[in-house]
Amino acid sequence: MKNIIYLLLLIVTVASAQTSKKVVSKERDYSFLTDSLNIDKQLEKNKLAGFSVVVFENYKIVYSNQFGVKSIDSKERMDQNTAFSTASISKPITALLCFMLEEKGLINLDDPIDGYLKRWHLPKSKFIENNSPTWRQFLNHTAGTTQSGFADHYEGDTIPTIKESLLGKIPRYDKEIDFLFTPGTGWAYSGGGYVIVQMALEDTFNKSMAELAAAYIFSPLGLKNTTMIQPNEKGFPVNVALVHDENGKVIRTGLPITPQVGASGMWSTPTDLAKIAIEMQNALRNKNNKVISHNVAKKVTEVTALKDAVGGWSYGWQKSFGYNNYDWFICNGSNTGVGGSVFATMTDGNGFVFLTNGEKPNRFPVMGQTQKKLLTLMDWNGKTVNDEIQEMPSSLKQKLIGTYDDFLYAQGVKTKIVEKNNRLYVESPLLDHFKGKNDNELVYLKNGLFKIIDYPNLLKFDFSDGKLSSVILTRDKLSTKVELTDKVK
């Protein structure tokens, strides 16, 4: 009996000690990121007004910091509630809204979109005579429409309607939006396609894009600093970052007005965008998600365009890059005088968001360095399946080595396959720019396919007369063939 009592006491003592240990244990301190990122000095060096960044890990925001000012004229410091024009980061939010509305049975994304339009209808084109494009095709840029992006307007300008935008009565375009190919047969980035989606939503529900996004996404998620209301409209936030030019000066009023809100008119903060990304990540694992369902999250992040689609695209989200052995959903936004990015892993709840109010030459160096450093400093590392890798025959290695057209992203840059220490690596200016690493290993898999470490598509190499002639890229059920027309040993 005494032994049992002693045993129970021992268990209680150990349990108490463990509980006490859990209470006093400290969570990871992320303050080291401030000194490591060194953003203040970068702002000064690049004449960049301000920079706001948020990092999330294991489905929680773990670091938030703001550097610089909202406006170089006022010198008012940024804070975590300072909203920026997010440019094309609006697109995945518009796509998300459409999928949520479909889940509620209010629209069908496989329907031809023209049936939902009232103020304007798709122009006649030989490409759509027998193939009327669907909502879904506009959302993943496979509808084939023109009008890639738009110029901003400011107070005092005549602000066009979205009908006038589609008719080409705006800067950059002097003719009506048109079609480049039969819907579903190719890929072409089209902000104009998202304007058509915006019009279809507004015509169908008799509400503005801003009202719909707020009702279904922003308000349910408690996002107090995110809106699609524009600076010339009632309810536009007061705490905002003004846009700046290459010389670090405020552009006109500093408040760009974007009637094409579905394509590029959202204003938000890195904190709010991180909350959307985390909600998506929770929905993907079907745990702790409150607004976005598991089904919707899977659909909007699924790769549905591969041919000519810069390595892979879903609905608003870019799926072109892999980092640290993870699959990511990514979106970059870029308008005159402002830009930023959202990076989020498909599993494990990691990622970061940054927004900054400066022109491309000023912001790109700071954004690029911050991205590369965060990916290194956070030390995220997903699982790898090494048992699929097999030894590559020496004869095969020799046939692959060379300089080729860009078979990874079809962006016209030279891509090399080189040998180092008896291993093959792929070198590309794009990999160097976006990943800070230009020696991604090419490995041979047991099924005869190839994989580039941290590149999301699998590759199959075809040869003609002993020389590499084409590459077939595959992702899930999609595949596309890239012909190689240039090779220099």
Side-chain angles (χ1 to χ4, degrees):
M1 184 67 178
K2 284 184 179 181
N3 289 338
I4 294 175
I5 293 172
Y6 289 146
L7 182 59
L8 289 172
L9 285 172
L10 180 61
I11 292 171
V12 170
T13 302
V14 172
S16 299
Q18 289 176 339
T19 302
S20 175
K21 186 177 180 180
K22 288 179 182 178
V23 171
V24 299
S25 65
K26 294 182 179 180
E27 293 186 359
R28 183 181 179 187
D29 183 3
Y30 295 86
S31 60
F32 74 93
L33 289 174
T34 302
D35 290 335
S36 299
L37 294 175
N38 200 23
I39 289 174
D40 277 326
K41 287 188 177 180
Q42 292 188 69
L43 298 188
E44 183 179 355
K45 177 183 177 182
N46 293 282
K47 293 184 179 180
L48 188 59
F51 193 95
S52 184
V53 59
V54 163
V55 179
F56 45 100
E57 185 173 55
N58 193 26
Y59 306 95
K60 294 179 182 178
I61 292 176
V62 296
Y63 177 82
S64 173
N65 212 337
Q66 294 73 45
F67 306 86
V69 295
K70 303 176 190 177
S71 164
I72 203 69
D73 294 338
S74 70
K75 302 292 185 181
E76 185 179 357
R77 302 289 299 180
M78 289 188 177
D79 58 48
Q80 66 177 358
N81 298 314
T82 301
F84 296 72
S85 170
T86 68
S88 288
I89 298 174
S90 310
K91 290 182 177 71
I93 306 307
T94 297
L96 173 62
L97 172 64
C98 290
F99 276 86
M100 293 173 72
L101 292 170
E102 182 184 52
E103 186 175 55
K104 295 178 183 297
L106 300 175
I107 58 176
N108 185 340
L109 299 184
D110 290 316
D111 282 345
I113 204 168
D114 200 55
Y116 293 80
L117 298 170
K118 297 176 183 177
R119 286 171 283 176
W120 170 90
H121 288 280
L122 299 181
K124 290 183 179 180
S125 169
K126 63 180 181 180
F127 294 115
I128 65 170
E129 286 177 354
N130 301 309
N131 196 339
S132 188
T134 66
W135 290 76
R136 199 179 300 277
Q137 289 169 328
F138 285 102
L139 293 173
N140 69 358
H141 299 293
T142 62
T145 41
T146 56
Q147 293 191 357
S148 59
F150 306 98
D152 290 323
H153 302 271
Y154 294 85
E155 185 179 350
D157 293 343
T158 300
I159 310 300
T161 65
I162 59 171
K163 180 178 178 179
E164 290 172 325
S165 179
L166 292 170
L167 288 171
K169 298 179 179 180
I170 53 173
R172 296 190 189 178
Y173 306 108
D174 59 2
K175 61 181 180 180
E176 188 174 22
I177 192 171
D178 199 3
F179 288 87
L180 300 168
F181 50 78
T182 301
T185 63
W187 187 92
Y189 190 87
S190 176
Y194 268 75
V195 178
I196 293 172
V197 170
Q198 176 186 338
M199 179 179 278
L201 287 170
E202 293 179 345
D203 286 356
T204 300
F205 296 97
N206 199 28
K207 291 183 178 180
S208 71
M209 187 73 198
E211 289 176 299
L212 291 168
Y216 288 95
I217 301 174
F218 306 154
S219 293
L221 283 176
L223 308 181
K224 297 181 179 180
N225 300 304
T226 301
T227 185
M228 286 189 171
I229 294 171
Q230 296 303 294
N232 61 333
E233 298 173 337
K234 184 179 178 180
F236 183 75
V238 175
N239 185 358
V240 294
L242 305 190
V243 298
H244 295 74
D245 63 18
E246 289 185 36
N247 297 315
K249 296 181 179 180
V250 176
I251 301 172
R252 298 182 62 179
T253 63
L255 296 173
I257 299 168
T258 310
Q260 303 92 349
V261 295
S264 58
M266 182 175 69
W267 289 70
S268 189
T269 65
T271 297
D272 277 3
L273 293 176
K275 288 178 179 178
I276 294 174
I278 292 169
E279 171 71 9
M280 285 280 292
Q281 291 172 324
N282 278 324
L284 286 168
R285 66 173 179 163
N286 206 18
K287 181 179 179 181
N288 297 333
N289 47 315
K290 300 175 181 177
V291 177
I292 303 171
S293 72
H294 176 61
N295 188 44
V296 164
K298 283 179 62 179
K299 286 182 177 180
V300 297
T301 56
E302 177 188 10
V303 178
T304 58
L306 193 57
K307 181 183 178 182
D308 302 322
V310 202
W313 222 271
S314 64
Y315 297 99
W317 296 108
Q318 190 173 2
K319 300 296 295 289
S320 307
F321 296 97
Y323 298 90
N324 299 16
N325 297 310
Y326 278 110
D327 186 12
W328 297 71
F329 56 99
I330 298 169
C331 188
N332 302 301
S334 180
N335 275 1
T336 303
V338 69
S341 300
V342 178
F343 280 70
T345 58
M346 292 287 287
T347 57
D348 295 347
N350 304 322
F352 52 88
V353 182
F354 46 70
L355 295 168
T356 179
N357 55 338
E359 192 51 298
K360 291 178 182 178
N362 312 78
R363 70 176 185 261
F364 276 8
V366 186
M367 290 168 57
Q369 184 169 329
T370 301
Q371 173 187 320
K372 293 167 188 174
K373 281 199 169 185
L374 284 174
L375 288 166
T376 301
L377 293 167
M378 294 307 295
D379 197 29
W380 294 318
N381 196 3
K383 296 178 181 178
T384 56
V385 184
N386 293 321
D387 59 350
E388 294 182 359
I389 299 174
Q390 66 175 338
E391 183 75 19
M392 192 184 308
S394 178
S395 58
L396 182 55
K397 285 182 185 178
Q398 294 307 310
K399 286 198 295 183
L400 290 171
I401 294 171
T403 301
Y404 305 93
D405 289 337
D406 178 20
F407 54 83
L408 301 179
Y409 301 107
Q411 296 302 296
V413 298
K414 295 299 179 185
T415 302
K416 296 181 179 180
I417 299 178
V418 300
E419 185 176 14
K420 298 178 183 178
N421 299 321
N422 204 33
R423 294 175 181 268
L424 292 189
Y425 294 85
V426 176
E427 296 181 352
S428 161
L430 292 173
L431 295 175
D432 186 35
H433 176 75
F434 288 105
K435 301 183 64 174
K437 182 181 180 183
N438 202 12
D439 59 347
N440 298 268
E441 187 176 1
L442 177 68
V443 297
Y444 190 39
L445 305 181
K446 290 182 178 178
N447 57 9
L449 297 176
F450 291 79
K451 177 174 175 55
I452 302 168
I453 301 302
D454 271 351
Y455 176 71
N457 300 319
L458 296 177
L459 304 92
K460 179 183 177 183
F461 294 113
D462 287 335
F463 299 89
S464 177
D465 296 326
K467 296 181 179 180
L468 185 56
S469 58
S470 64
V471 182
I472 298 175
L473 305 179
T474 64
R475 178 95 70 95
D476 301 328
K477 297 178 181 178
L478 300 177
S479 65
T480 183
K481 188 173 184 177
V482 181
E483 298 288 348
L484 300 179
T485 58
D486 185 27
K487 177 179 177 180
V488 181
K489 276 288 186 181

